[in-house]
Structure formats: structure tokens, C-alpha cells
Amino acid sequence: MPNSQDIPAAESVEELKLVAISALENSSTSEELEVWRVDFIGRKGKLTSLLRGLGSLAVDDRRVVGAAANRLRGELEGLFEKRIAVVNSSSAPLGSIDVTLPGRKPASGGLHPSTQMIREITQAFNEMGFQTVEGPEVELERYNFDMLNIPQNHPARDMFDTFWVDSEKDDLLLRTHTSPVQARVMEANDPPIRVVVPGKCYRYEATDATHEWQFNQIEGLAVDEGITFADLKGTLYEFARRIFGPSQKVRFRCDFFPFVEPGVDMSIEWKGNWLEIMGAGMVHPKVLENAGYDSDKYTGFAFGMGPERISMLKNEITDIRHFFSNDLRFLSQF
Ligand code: FA5
């Protein structure tokens, strides 16, 4: 007859469970786990001996305690398998650091391709004496259009050509180009002025491989006494040589922008074709006067280009939409 201490009761199943789980959690090597397995769920282990003692119980107790002990066996076997998997998947002993593992280089980020191109272009102009300035992306209609001699009936002012912002006070929009910063800089400063203005612009566009609804522009403005069209050509020619190479050819053709007179577009010769890369021209006298300048005394030139389009040429990118789609397969190539 087993003595009363050996008689298994429902409480002793619960007690065994607590002891077994705590011992399992403290086993952190395969060897320790094997000792645990033999000790708790092995053929001569604690659970087996508890089950052996069932015979001495009353029939009803035997059924209850037997069922609880069998459930415990299933539970402990499951926990044991999980623990084995954890210990085997870790090469280092649990709770410690394996100082013998070789070091790994942490993944590092980088500048966005648009930012890289903007910096390259602005640096070229900085070296020619232009200062980098910025202006607001949410702009007043006055600066985006009126001050730039863009008349009320211009199609860009149409509700569906530009992103307008609901506003009770003033007419606000997402700027369609960086040219409004020309007006802001002239309004706040006296000549001489030489600035480049990088920044985002927004247009209500049907997007395609060369048109995004959000893109960057870099504006340039030089105002002083005696600035001529030769200064415009010389500066932009030098820019093209710095960005595309010392033997780069450029071409100027007449173009129209309401805020310059005369207006031109500049193309570069690229792989046998002429490709347009920017609009430019002599600052229109009305724009100088709108900013409070004497247009008989001062002249200037201005230009505006798209850095994404230039990066597309230099890096053989076939679709402008890659720039803002946030795909690491594209971004990590820069
Ligand atoms: C303008 O925006 C004028 N403000 C440029 C200018 C400044 C002319 C000063 C004269 C004097 P345009 O709409 O052509 O011009 O845009 C200039 C450049 O911005 C284009 O050559 C192109 O590179 C880029 N661009 C224009 N629209 C888009 C678009 N939807 N997606 C990507 N780039 C664009």
C-alpha cells in the first residue's frame, strides 16, 4: 500500500505542472532539456510515477486525477517540443550574447535621387556666385501668377489645371513652378541678386513617363545693372558643361513665358538628339516693376529646370514616376 504522501490527488497534478514548467523554462541547452525530459515525462519520470499511484485511489477519484494527469502529459510534451525548437534555433546560449559572431554592417540610408541631383545642380550655381534660397510650396495666387505677368485668362489659372487650396482670406494654391520665388526675392531685396531656388511644384497632370503631378524645379534669377542675354547664355553654357561634361553642346531656341522677354528654351545634345532641359529668358520689365525695381536701370535673366528630368537623362531612367513611388529596388541604386 502506498502511504498517504504517495497518493496522487488532483492538487499533486497541479503542483507537478508548476514544478515541471518552471524547470523547463530554466533549461537552456539540449543537455539540460534531455535531463528535464527524462525527469518529468520519461518512462521512469515523475508523471509516470504519479499515474502509477492512481490504482490506490477510489474509482471516482481515479477517473478525475487520471484525466488531469493525461492532459498534463500532452501539455508538457507540447511545451517540451517548443522549447527544443527555441534552443536549437539559437546558436548562442539563451540569455547571453555570442561575442564570436562576425560583425555585420548596419543598413545605411542615402539621399533621395532627386535630392542628389538638386544638390549637384545648386552646387554648380553656388560655385558661380548664386545663393540657394527657398520659398513656400503653398503659395498666393498673386506670386504664382499676377506678379509674374501671367494674365487672369491664362489656362493655368483654370480650376482644373492647378491644385487650389480652400481658403476664405486669400487665393491659395500649390505652386505650379518655382518662379514665384523670383517675385518674393525681388520684393524683399535690392539688386544685385543671384539666387537658385530648388523646391517642389504641383500640377494637375495626367501622369505619364515624363510628367508627374508632383516634381521638383530649380529656378535661377540674376538681376543687376547691365545684365545681358550674353550673361544668360554664358552662365547656362557653363552649367551644362559642369553637369554633363566639358564638351557638352547646347542650343537656345525662342520660346514664350509671360515673365520673360525674350524667352528661350535650352536643349542639350544627348546621344544624337537635342533634348530640351529648361525654360529661360530675360526678366520681363513688368516683372521687375511689379517688384518695385526701375526697369530702365536694372535687367536680369531667369531660368527654370526639372532636376528629375535631368537625372533621367544622366542615369538612363525611363519613367519619372519611379522617383516618387518609394520602391527600394529603384532608390537603392543611387
Ligand atoms: C516653367 O515652369 C517656367 N517657370 C520655367 C522658367 C523659369 C522659364 C524662368 C523662364 C524663366 P515649364 O513649364 O516648361 O516652365 O517647366 C520647366 C521644367 O520643369 C521643365 O523643363 C521640366 O523639366 C519640368 N517640368 C514641368 N512640368 C513637369 C511635370 N509635370 N513633371 C516633371 N517635370 C516637369
Side-chain angles (χ1 to χ4, degrees), residues 12 14 34 42 53 57 62 66 73 93 97 136 156 179 211 222 245 248 257 273 280 289 298-299 308 323:
S12 43
E14 231 5 77
E34 181 54 17
L57 293 179
R62 200 186 301 162
R73 176 178 291 283
I97 296 169
S179 301
H211 292 85
Q248 180 62 53
F257 301 92
N273 296 311
E289 282 154 23
Y298 295 111
T299 50
E308 280 88 19
F323 283 89

Side-chain angles (χ1 to χ4, degrees), residues 108-156:
S108 61
L111 290 177
H112 188 275
S114 298
T115 308
Q116 290 185 29
M117 197 69 242
I118 288 171
R119 291 199 178 178
E120 200 180 323
I121 295 171
T122 50
Q123 193 185 334
F125 284 107
N126 292 159
E127 285 165 9
M128 289 190 265
F130 287 73
Q131 185 187 347
T132 303
V133 298
E134 289 182 319
E137 289 175 28
V138 181
E139 185 54 282
L140 291 167
E141 180 182 16
R142 191 160 71 89
Y143 288 106
N144 198 82
F145 295 131
D146 299 85
M147 300 268 288
L148 296 173
N149 195 33
I150 301 177
Q152 273 297 339
N153 58 358
H154 194 280

Side-chain angles (χ1 to χ4, degrees), residues 215-239:
F215 54 96
N216 283 285
Q217 278 193 348
I218 299 177
E219 190 83 8
L221 174 71
V223 183
D224 203 349
E225 287 182 52
I227 289 195
T228 69
F229 199 83
D231 295 312
L232 178 156
K233 285 179 81 175
T235 306
L236 294 182
Y237 185 36
E238 177 59 20
F239 151 76

Side-chain angles (χ1 to χ4, degrees), residues 108-329:
S108 61
L111 290 177
H112 188 275
S114 298
T115 308
Q116 290 185 29
M117 197 69 242
I118 288 171
R119 291 199 178 178
E120 200 180 323
I121 295 171
T122 50
Q123 193 185 334
F125 284 107
N126 292 159
E127 285 165 9
M128 289 190 265
F130 287 73
Q131 185 187 347
T132 303
V133 298
E134 289 182 319
E137 289 175 28
V138 181
E139 185 54 282
L140 291 167
E141 180 182 16
R142 191 160 71 89
Y143 288 106
N144 198 82
F145 295 131
D146 299 85
M147 300 268 288
L148 296 173
N149 195 33
I150 301 177
Q152 273 297 339
N153 58 358
H154 194 280
R157 295 201 177 201
D158 192 274
M159 238 14 229
F160 299 104
D161 225 27
T162 299
F163 295 113
W164 291 86
V165 177
D166 274 345
S167 151
E168 286 180 4
K169 236 169 112 214
D170 289 304
D171 291 321
L172 282 179
L173 47 84
L174 298 185
R175 67 178 175 194
T176 58
H177 50 175
T178 41
S179 301
V181 189
Q182 283 188 35
R184 286 182 174 275
V185 169
M186 286 193 271
E187 205 177 49
N189 301 278
D190 290 330
I193 284 171
R194 274 195 212 92
V195 290
V196 271
V197 187
K200 284 210 191 73
C201 307
Y202 305 84
R203 289 186 192 177
Y204 189 89
E205 296 270 18
T207 58
D208 61 25
T210 52
H211 292 85
E212 258 292 10
W213 62 270
Q214 169 199 268
F215 54 96
N216 283 285
Q217 278 193 348
I218 299 177
E219 190 83 8
L221 174 71
V223 183
D224 203 349
E225 287 182 52
I227 289 195
T228 69
F229 199 83
D231 295 312
L232 178 156
K233 285 179 81 175
T235 306
L236 294 182
Y237 185 36
E238 177 59 20
F239 151 76
R241 290 197 310 164
R242 284 176 187 235
I243 296 297
F244 298 103
S247 51
Q248 180 62 53
K249 289 187 185 150
V250 301
R251 181 183 74 180
F252 294 95
R253 289 190 309 185
C254 292
D255 201 348
F256 173 75
F257 301 92
F259 35 95
V260 287
E261 180 58 34
V264 291
D265 69 51
M266 183 174 114
S267 303
I268 57 163
E269 193 185 37
W270 197 252
K271 298 192 174 147
N273 296 311
W274 285 105
L275 295 174
E276 189 185 316
I277 60 161
M278 72 171 95
M282 298 304 289
V283 182
H284 198 291
K286 273 196 190 158
V287 175
L288 293 170
E289 282 154 23
N290 287 343
Y293 288 0
D294 179 352
S295 64
D296 288 328
K297 187 173 177 195
Y298 295 111
T299 50
F301 66 83
F303 54 86
M305 69 186 92
E308 280 88 19
R309 294 260 184 94
I310 292 175
S311 177
M312 286 172 79
L313 288 179
K314 287 192 74 167
N315 300 301
E316 301 187 347
I317 298 162
T318 49
D319 197 318
I320 197 169
R321 288 168 290 198
H322 289 311
F323 283 89
F324 298 106
S325 60
N326 249 352
D327 189 334
L328 280 178
R329 288 171 301 179

